[in-house]
């Protein structure tokens, strides 16, 4: 058979499998970390189970293993279809797929063993940073090669978002990790102190922007119209919010450093651009939600539509909360507290998680030429997941505001009202509640894993012919 | 310009994206390097001594930054609780910076000199012995692991290349070893005097304590 006549679905199937697998692992580690905050004994006096090592493992696993694999699965599936060609190179697809999993395993081993760069979300050590760069370049060549050989004139809006992801993540990763090595696993960054802090949060904030936002928006633009069988609400709005999002996001990094030793003008710039960021973010949310126009009834029956709409709602909520938190006086209260943790999770669990779940529920049956094993179970997953997020986020709001207020409380005489440890004890019940919320969310993920594996089992992984006349969106 | 033209040319769109995402970073980052006044130098701030440097790398290894910040903000309650707010010039030898983003435990930037060495020695073994009700885990392995000093000279050499003002004699392997040993033995002796028990000077916890005690103390503020 002439492979060029068929889509490469094998790579997509594997990426999908690893999305589910690492999603489970990453969230399980997160649950354990949450439990350790409620019950400190749970590290069992072992270095590799201690919070300081498994918290980076949790964040790395859910960002670079769960989310990134989900993005790769969705990109490989949709790119071939909107370009009407097979992926540029089967060899590069294989290197990308297995190289990325190797990176994940190596990073996990290093982090648990205490080898870390010590910068948030950039913890992978020197040699892994180089591997990440190489594999990312492989992905980029494969991506742009496919785009260059496309059989249609225009690039569909999803492709714009994928493209901005590939370019920007390459820039952020390389610049933030520039370092002189002592050994393969120990290096010192070429930046020090304030400069290192600014570069790190320029990276950190835009990792959120270009790994947890733009590619997920791209996936939304492909899979949501497919799932509800409606065209994207507004082509003009997609142009407007794409370019403004790409331009404005980059400036917002300093809002992570408000009231620190970073020069004041830079903090203000970060705050102002964060506030402006509401517009392009909500442009994306509105374009997504209004795509349901004429298909609102699906929200009653179709679990995939439910996941999409609640995912978009959380996107809208967290992109409103984020700019509010970047206002200096709000940051003064919320920074360093659990409010930030809650904020991140409403984006990660709500927006990223639910959008990827929707994508998987839609895509996996098609990859195996069958129907979803159980619609009913997917609907239950939706409700369980939603309840889990709400418990998680509300408990973090309460702890964050409580802690922030207790830190600053003073008596009539002007003395501090609470010692630090008193604030810690106040939070204990909510830490338990948070772990329960996260645990409930994880139960939903296990249900999804079962549902999708049963779907794979009942289906057949037969190849799909490239149909040049079908599915032209742009 | 008609957007249909841009979206038909992947190279054009790619270049436009690359330019757009570069602007914000350039405007915000470059002045920190080109404008001297942005980070005011403080003469009293000294590079890490070999033992402190090793201690700092243990601090990084254990991910202390996931629960502790090193940035005192200029608020009354923070300066009351921790000490003077943090200045840019105090961080110039920090690679990587360890400001953190979460205070599950208190800020540590002014922790140096707050407690005695022996306090820290008891604290890392079981934080509840010194801080009743603490939710910080125990770190028993810091007392079992011997401090690995095989890379100290190389680490300092790399840092010197990056701009840390270690002199040539500072990097002399024999001198590094001597200073490291001396610092560790003095620290262990002080703990021994306080606790009245044998305290080995070659464990990881000694280096970590040396680092803790250096934090935020270069500018003189404690009486």
């Amino acid at each position: 058979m002439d492979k060029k006549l068929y889509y490469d679905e094998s790579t997509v199937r594997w990426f999908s499998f690893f999305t589910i697998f690492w999603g489970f692992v990453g969230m399980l580690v997160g649950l354990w970390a949450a439990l350790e905050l409620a019950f400190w004994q749970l590290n069992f006096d072992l270095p590799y189970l201690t919070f300081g090592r498994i918290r980076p493992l949790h964040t790395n696993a859910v960002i670079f293993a769960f989310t990134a694999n989900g993005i790769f699965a969705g990109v490989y599936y949709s790119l071939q279809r909107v370009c009407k060609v097979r992926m540029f190179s089967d060899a590069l697809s294989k290197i990308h797929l297995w190289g990325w999993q190797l990176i994940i395993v190596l990073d996990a081993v290093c982090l648990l063993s205490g080898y870390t760069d010590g910068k948030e979300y950039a913890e992978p050590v020197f040699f892994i940073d180089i591997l990440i760069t190489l594999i990312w370049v492989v992905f980029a060549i494969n991506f742009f090669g496919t785009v260059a050989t496309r059989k249609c004139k225009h690039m569909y809006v999803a492709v714009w978002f994928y493209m901005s992801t590939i370019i920007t993540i390459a820039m952020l990763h390389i610049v933030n990790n520039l370092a002189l090595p002592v050994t393969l696993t120990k290096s010192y960054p070429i930046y020090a102190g304030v400069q290192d802090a600014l570069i790190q949060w320029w990276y950190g904030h835009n990792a959120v922007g270009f790994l947890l936002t733009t590619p997920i928006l791209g996936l939304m633009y492909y899979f949501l119209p497919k799932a509800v069988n409606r065209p994207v609400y507004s082509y003009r709005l997609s142009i407007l919010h794409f370019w403004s999002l790409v331009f404005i996001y980059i400036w917002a990094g300093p809002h992570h450093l408000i009231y620190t030793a970073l020069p004041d003008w830079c903090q203000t710039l970060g705050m102002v651009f964060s506030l402006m960021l509401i517009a392009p973010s909500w442009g994306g949310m509105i374009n997504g939600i209004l795509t349901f126009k004429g298909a609102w009834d699906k929200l009653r029956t179709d679990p995939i539509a439910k996941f999409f709409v609640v995912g978009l709602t959380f996107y809208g909520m967290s992109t409103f909360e984020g700019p509010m938190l970047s206002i200096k006086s709000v940051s003064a209260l919320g920074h360093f507290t659990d409010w930030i943790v809650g904020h991140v999770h409403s984006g990660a669990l709500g927006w990223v998680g639910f959008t990827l779940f929707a994508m998987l529920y839609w895509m996996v049956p098609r990859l195996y030429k069958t129907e979803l094993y159980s619609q009913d179970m997917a609907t239950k997953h939706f409700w369980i997941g939603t309840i889990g997020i709400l418990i998680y986020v509300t408990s973090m709001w309460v702890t964050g505001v409580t802690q922030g207020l207790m830190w600053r409380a003073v008596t009539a005489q002007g003395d501090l009202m609470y010692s630090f440890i008193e604030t810690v004890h106040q939070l204990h019940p909510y830490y338990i509640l948070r772990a329960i919320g996260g645990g409930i969310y994880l139960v939903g993920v296990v249900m999804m894993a079962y549902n999708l594996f049963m779907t794979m089992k009942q289906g057949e992984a037969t190849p799909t012919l490239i149909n040049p006349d079908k599915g032209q969106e742009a | 310009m008609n957007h249909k033209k841009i979206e038909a040319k992947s190279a054009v769109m790619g270049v436009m994206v690359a330019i757009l995402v570069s602007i914000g970073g350039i405007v915000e980052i470059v002045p920190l390097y080109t404008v001297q006044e942005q980070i005011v130098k403080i003469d009293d701030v000294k590079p890490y001594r070999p033992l402190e440097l090793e201690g700092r790398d243990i601090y990084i290894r254990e991910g202390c930054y996931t629960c502790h910040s090193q940035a005192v903000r200029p608020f009354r309650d923070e300066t009351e609780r921790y000490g003077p707010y943090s200045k840019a010039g105090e961080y110039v030898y920090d690679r990587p910076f360890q400001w953190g983003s979460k205070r599950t435990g208190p800020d540590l930037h002014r922790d140096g000199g707050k407690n005695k060495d022996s306090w820290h020695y008891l604290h890392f073994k079981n934080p509840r012995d010194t801080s009743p009700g603490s939710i910080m885990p125990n770190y028993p392995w810091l007392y079992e692991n011997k401090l690995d000093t095989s890379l100290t000279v190389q680490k300092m050499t790399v840092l010197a290349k990056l701009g840390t003002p270690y002199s040539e004699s500072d990097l002399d392997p024999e001198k590094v070893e001597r200073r490291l040993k001396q610092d560790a033995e003095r620290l262990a002796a002080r703990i021994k005097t306080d606790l009245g028990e044998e305290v080995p000077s070659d464990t990881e916890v000694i280096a970590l304590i040396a680092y803790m005690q250096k934090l935020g103390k270069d500018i003189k503020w404690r009486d």
Side-chain angles (χ1 to χ4, degrees):
Chain A
M1 115 186 170
D2 182 5
K3 274 192 160 184
K4 282 282 161 205
L5 293 175
Y6 295 89
Y7 293 122
D8 170 13
E9 291 188 325
S10 159
T11 310
V12 184
R13 289 187 198 106
W14 274 112
F15 274 131
S16 305
F17 167 80
F18 282 119
T19 309
I20 302 164
F21 176 73
W22 292 123
F24 172 73
V25 174
M27 292 175 206
L28 185 68
V29 177
L31 177 59
W32 197 261
L35 286 167
E36 286 187 345
L37 289 178
F39 308 102
W40 61 267
Q41 298 89 338
L42 287 176
N43 78 331
F44 302 112
D45 286 358
L46 297 170
Y48 34 83
L49 270 188
T50 299
F51 184 85
R53 295 197 193 180
I54 68 169
R55 191 266 190 181
L57 179 67
H58 163 61
T59 53
N60 277 242
V62 291
I63 298 171
F64 303 115
F66 167 63
T67 306
N69 271 309
I71 293 164
F72 298 149
V75 169
Y76 273 68
Y77 184 92
S78 59
L79 184 67
Q80 300 183 83
R81 280 163 176 84
V82 296
C83 290
K84 314 259 156 265
V85 284
R86 190 181 175 86
M87 283 305 293
F88 177 62
S89 155
D90 282 3
L92 291 180
S93 299
K94 279 209 169 56
I95 296 172
H96 179 197
L97 166 66
W98 296 107
W100 197 259
Q101 314 315 318
L102 176 72
I103 286 168
I104 292 166
V105 173
L106 288 172
D107 187 39
V109 172
C110 281
L111 290 176
L112 291 183
S113 316
Y115 297 106
T116 169
D117 274 1
K119 300 216 282 187
E120 271 178 272
Y121 321 121
E123 283 96 351
V125 291
F126 191 74
F127 84 99
I128 298 180
D129 287 337
I130 293 172
L131 284 179
I132 292 172
T133 311
L134 293 175
I135 297 298
W136 199 261
V137 169
V138 165
F139 175 36
I141 296 171
N142 212 8
F143 177 89
F144 283 103
T146 310
V147 171
T149 54
R150 70 186 183 278
K151 294 278 170 34
C152 45
K153 192 165 175 230
H154 295 281
M155 294 180 293
Y156 179 58
V157 49
V159 180
W160 318 344
F161 281 93
Y162 301 156
M163 195 188 273
S164 70
T165 301
I166 292 173
I167 293 169
T168 313
I169 289 293
M171 170 184 83
L172 295 168
H173 172 71
I174 292 171
V175 173
N176 186 43
N177 282 298
L178 288 177
L180 270 189
V182 181
T183 65
L184 283 179
T185 54
K186 177 71 201 173
S187 60
Y188 291 110
I190 65 166
Y191 323 102
V194 175
Q195 292 149 345
D196 192 37
L198 179 59
I199 305 241
Q200 156 63 22
W201 283 113
W202 166 80
Y203 161 88
H205 180 72
N206 290 296
V208 175
F210 290 86
L211 209 55
L212 307 181
T213 303
T214 54
I216 310 295
L217 280 168
L219 297 177
M220 186 274 285
Y221 271 116
Y222 179 82
F223 289 99
L224 174 59
K226 287 281 182 193
V228 300
N229 203 18
R230 304 288 311 157
V232 168
Y233 171 69
S234 166
Y235 166 69
R236 270 169 180 278
L237 181 56
S238 61
I239 295 173
L240 195 67
H241 98 93
F242 170 73
W243 290 106
S244 50
L245 191 78
V246 162
F247 175 67
I248 295 175
Y249 227 115
I250 278 289
W251 297 73
H255 71 213
H256 290 259
L257 299 169
I258 284 174
Y259 286 121
T260 65
L262 184 75
D264 196 51
W265 63 266
C266 197
Q267 299 179 22
T268 304
L269 212 50
M271 173 184 115
V272 171
F273 273 84
S274 301
L275 284 166
M276 290 197 280
L277 205 44
I278 295 181
S281 303
W282 279 34
M285 172 191 69
I286 289 166
N287 218 5
I289 287 186
L290 290 184
T291 296
F292 279 93
K293 217 171 121 185
W296 291 110
D297 58 302
K298 280 210 188 303
L299 286 179
R300 269 181 304 167
T301 51
D302 183 4
I304 295 171
K306 290 180 209 268
F307 272 114
F308 269 124
V309 86
V310 171
L312 280 161
T313 307
F314 271 105
Y315 178 55
M317 273 169 49
S318 52
T319 53
F320 175 75
E321 189 183 33
M324 291 306 115
L325 276 167
S326 75
I327 295 172
K328 284 187 170 183
S329 45
V330 183
S331 171
L333 178 71
H335 193 50
F336 292 132
T337 74
D338 282 302
W339 190 352
I340 311 302
V341 181
H343 166 62
V344 172
H345 281 83
S346 76
L349 300 173
W351 160 241
V352 177
F354 270 26
T355 306
L356 289 181
F357 299 157
M359 175 192 90
L360 288 170
Y361 278 127
W362 188 87
M363 184 172 72
V364 170
R366 282 163 178 80
L367 288 170
Y368 289 85
K369 313 291 180 295
T370 181
E371 299 286 316
L372 184 63
Y373 172 71
S374 167
Q375 287 279 330
D376 183 50
M377 198 185 281
T379 305
K380 290 207 173 85
H381 172 198
F382 166 76
W383 286 110
I384 287 173
T386 306
I387 292 166
I389 302 175
L390 290 177
I391 295 176
Y392 190 110
V393 174
T394 42
S395 61
M396 291 291 92
W397 278 331
V398 175
T399 48
V401 175
T402 304
Q403 198 171 28
L405 289 175
M406 285 178 82
W407 284 343
R408 58 165 64 168
V410 285
T411 62
Q413 286 77 25
D415 300 322
L416 292 174
M417 203 180 287
Y418 303 103
S419 67
F420 195 90
I421 195 70
E422 285 176 283
T423 73
V424 174
H425 287 162
Q426 194 69 29
L427 310 182
H428 182 69
Y430 302 102
Y431 278 172
I432 296 175
L433 206 57
R434 182 259 298 271
I436 292 172
I440 292 174
Y441 189 87
L442 184 59
V443 169
V445 170
V446 172
M447 289 168 66
M448 177 185 74
Y450 175 77
N451 202 352
L452 291 178
F453 286 130
M454 292 308 282
T455 306
M456 292 172 185
K457 226 174 110 184
Q458 75 184 16
E460 225 176 316
T462 49
T464 309
L465 259 176
I466 298 171
N467 184 343
D469 304 319
K470 209 182 138 210
Q472 175 75 14
E473 275 85 2
Chain B
M1 187 162 48
N2 189 342
H3 199 268
K4 287 274 176 211
K5 282 184 191 156
I6 302 173
E7 59 187 61
K9 291 254 178 271
S10 57
V12 173
M13 189 176 238
V15 170
M16 282 178 65
V17 167
I19 293 171
L20 274 185
V21 296
S22 304
I23 297 171
I26 291 170
V27 173
E28 290 177 347
I29 295 166
V30 171
L32 288 197
Y33 280 89
T34 52
V35 185
Q36 278 288 309
E37 302 83 72
Q38 294 298 316
I39 297 163
V40 181
K41 218 175 161 297
I42 303 171
D43 288 333
D44 287 339
V45 176
K46 297 283 182 293
Y48 295 103
R49 295 170 68 83
L51 188 67
E52 294 163 352
L53 181 66
E54 289 296 349
R56 188 169 202 274
D57 282 343
I58 291 169
Y59 185 97
I60 293 166
R61 183 188 77 189
E62 297 304 340
C64 304
Y65 68 87
T66 58
C67 287
H68 294 280
S69 55
Q70 287 190 17
V72 180
R73 297 178 291 176
F75 306 148
R76 217 187 79 77
D77 62 292
E78 299 219 348
T79 52
E80 188 84 7
R81 197 185 299 277
Y82 303 117
Y85 67 85
S86 306
K87 325 282 187 293
E90 294 181 89
Y91 298 113
V92 293
Y93 303 124
D94 286 6
R95 293 173 200 268
F97 81 111
Q98 291 287 287
W99 297 1
S101 61
K102 179 76 196 344
R103 281 182 191 153
T104 302
D107 188 275
L108 297 177
H109 190 225
R110 300 281 174 218
D111 206 60
K114 184 182 176 195
N115 298 292
K116 294 168 90 172
D117 300 318
S118 53
W119 183 95
H120 287 283
Y121 192 74
L122 296 172
H123 180 72
F124 288 116
K125 199 174 278 179
N126 182 353
R128 279 141 298 277
D129 286 348
T130 49
S131 318
S134 167
I135 60 167
M136 177 169 143
N138 302 335
Y139 288 81
W141 59 93
L142 298 178
Y143 298 77
E144 292 151 19
N145 296 352
K146 301 273 175 252
L147 182 68
D148 178 7
T149 57
S150 60
L151 290 171
T152 314
V153 178
Q154 276 161 273
K155 286 178 177 178
M156 292 173 71
T157 311
V158 167
L159 287 171
K161 269 188 208 150
L162 289 168
T164 307
Y166 289 126
S167 70
E168 219 160 282
S169 90
D170 286 339
L171 298 173
D172 174 54
E174 269 172 42
K175 195 176 167 190
V176 168
E177 204 195 320
R178 200 168 60 239
R179 287 175 74 186
L180 203 146
K181 228 178 138 192
Q182 239 170 35
D183 287 357
E185 279 167 1
R186 279 186 196 148
L187 212 158
R190 284 199 296 272
I191 300 171
K192 188 185 163 188
T193 316
D194 275 4
L195 303 180
E197 60 176 90
E198 272 315 307
V199 175
S201 65
D202 58 351
T203 54
E204 290 183 337
V205 72
I206 299 294
L208 184 55
I209 295 171
Y211 171 63
M212 301 306 303
Q213 295 292 30
K214 145 101 175 171
L215 278 173
K217 233 174 32 179
D218 283 327
I219 62 162
K220 302 285 172 276
W221 68 277
R222 280 190 200 284
D223 310 321

